[in-house]
Each structure stands twice: as C-alpha cells, then as structure tokens.
Amino acid sequence: MASSWTGNRVRLRAVEPDDWTAFARFADDDGPRVGRLDLPRSAESYRAWAKEQAVAECDDDRFRLAVEATATGELVGTVGSHRTGPRSGWFEFDITIGASHRHKGYATEAVVLLRFMFAEQRYHKCLAAVLAHNEASLALFRGLGFTEEGRLREHVFFAGQHHDLVMMGMLVNEFDRRHTMSEP
C-alpha cells in the first residue's frame, strides 16, 4: 500500500464538490436494482450535497469518504461511518459501489476505513445493516469477516412491502486476526 488510505485498487479520499455527477449516476443506477421508488432529485440537490460533504467536519467519528479507483482516478463509490456509540465503542459502517464498478474488489479494500476506526479511533465493534434479500452485500460482509448477529423482521418498508434487515458485526480482535491492524 502506498499510504494508509490507498490500496492496490482504491484510494479513499475526501468528497469533492465536483463528485456530484458520479453520486447522481450511482443513484440512477441503483434505483431499479433495489426495487425502491424514490422521488427524483435535481442536479442542484446533488451539487449541494457534494459541496456540503466536501466541507463537513468529522462529527463524532461520523464521516463519508469517496472511493476512487487507483488505476483510473474515477470515483467508483463511497464509504462511511454514519452512526457511532463512542461510550460503548461501536460504529456503523456502510459502503456503496456504483453498479458498473461492482465485483472488481473495490469494496473489499474498504477495510482501510475499518483499520482507522479500530486502530486509531479505538472502537471495539463495527456494525453493518444489510437488507436480507441483498445476497451480494451479505456475501461481501461475510467475506470481510462480519458475523450475522440478528435479523430485524419486516423492519424496512419500500416497494410496497416490508423487508428483513440483517445486522452484521465484527469485533476488533476478529478484524485484527483477519486483516492485521498494524499494516500501514
């Protein structure tokens, strides 16, 4: 790895205002795949969101980073920590890779963010919430070393029906055994 935030396939970096077009494209790509019907968003709303992210402070270890392909410099997704329980030592992690960039190993290299949260920020546990029918994401998290900890039955409503939400978790020692926290 060239740096703590760069792997063989991806570099994690701050969101830049010009990234809005890629995020709008990711949202358009994902709509039909997940079967969810959302209201259309304007280009201006994506511009404003990206600009806000570009200057956002890291609030209580909640942040969003862009995932960029090292080979092309193209934005391929996003990764972040969006909920935290600092007193108990847990954080919730999510990753989104654009439809045309999936199955290329980009998501697997997102463990750089986990290494930061476990080794530098001293969190004890990482959580991920995955829709039960999303087999690809469940396989990704299992492959990263997450364990299914529970299922919230019919917890999420979209596309006219309720869906189960699978809660996945990984402890710091499980991460270290699998990914080695001391890597640069």
Side-chain angles (χ1 to χ4, degrees):
M1 293 177 73
S3 81
S4 296
W5 298 99
T6 304
N8 294 323
R9 294 181 188 93
V10 300
R11 177 173 77 100
L12 301 186
R13 63 166 174 79
V15 173
E16 296 292 343
D18 289 342
D19 292 337
W20 75 270
T21 55
F23 287 112
R25 190 174 56 252
F26 297 156
D28 286 345
D29 289 348
D30 281 346
R33 182 183 63 84
V34 297
R36 182 178 180 152
L37 181 61
D38 288 322
L39 290 172
R41 282 182 67 180
S42 68
E44 187 56 35
S45 74
Y46 284 105
R47 278 188 207 97
W49 178 86
K51 187 175 181 179
E52 179 182 294
Q53 291 298 307
V55 297
E57 296 290 324
C58 179
D59 182 27
D60 196 23
D61 291 328
R62 292 180 304 233
F63 52 88
R64 173 112 353 248
L65 297 173
V67 179
E68 181 181 88
T70 54
T72 63
E74 183 180 5
L75 183 67
V76 297
T78 180
V79 63
S81 168
H82 57 88
R83 289 181 31 189
T84 61
R87 184 175 175 143
S88 298
W90 62 267
F91 67 99
E92 194 167 325
F93 163 82
D94 69 80
I95 183 157
T96 301
I97 301 295
S100 63
H101 302 289
R102 293 185 185 133
H103 309 291
K104 297 178 181 176
Y106 297 142
T108 303
E109 283 197 11
V111 297
V112 171
L113 175 93
L114 300 179
R115 185 173 291 117
F116 170 74
M117 293 298 283
F118 284 134
E120 301 300 325
Q121 302 304 91
R122 300 181 183 162
Y123 280 91
H124 177 73
K125 183 177 186 176
C126 179
L127 296 170
V130 182
L131 290 168
H133 66 272
N134 189 339
E135 291 297 330
S137 290
L138 290 170
L140 168 69
F141 282 104
R142 286 183 187 114
L144 290 173
F146 283 75
T147 300
E148 184 173 328
E149 295 191 346
R151 182 177 294 253
L152 302 175
R153 297 177 307 136
E154 299 185 4
H155 190 72
V156 178
F157 184 84
F158 70 86
Q161 59 185 330
H162 288 90
H163 300 270
D164 290 358
L165 190 66
V166 178
M167 297 305 298
M168 309 284 290
M170 183 180 346
L171 302 175
V172 64
N173 60 333
E174 295 165 340
F175 177 85
D176 192 31
R177 277 196 304 270
R178 196 171 189 112
H179 302 284
T180 314
M181 287 198 308
S182 59
E183 285 182 18

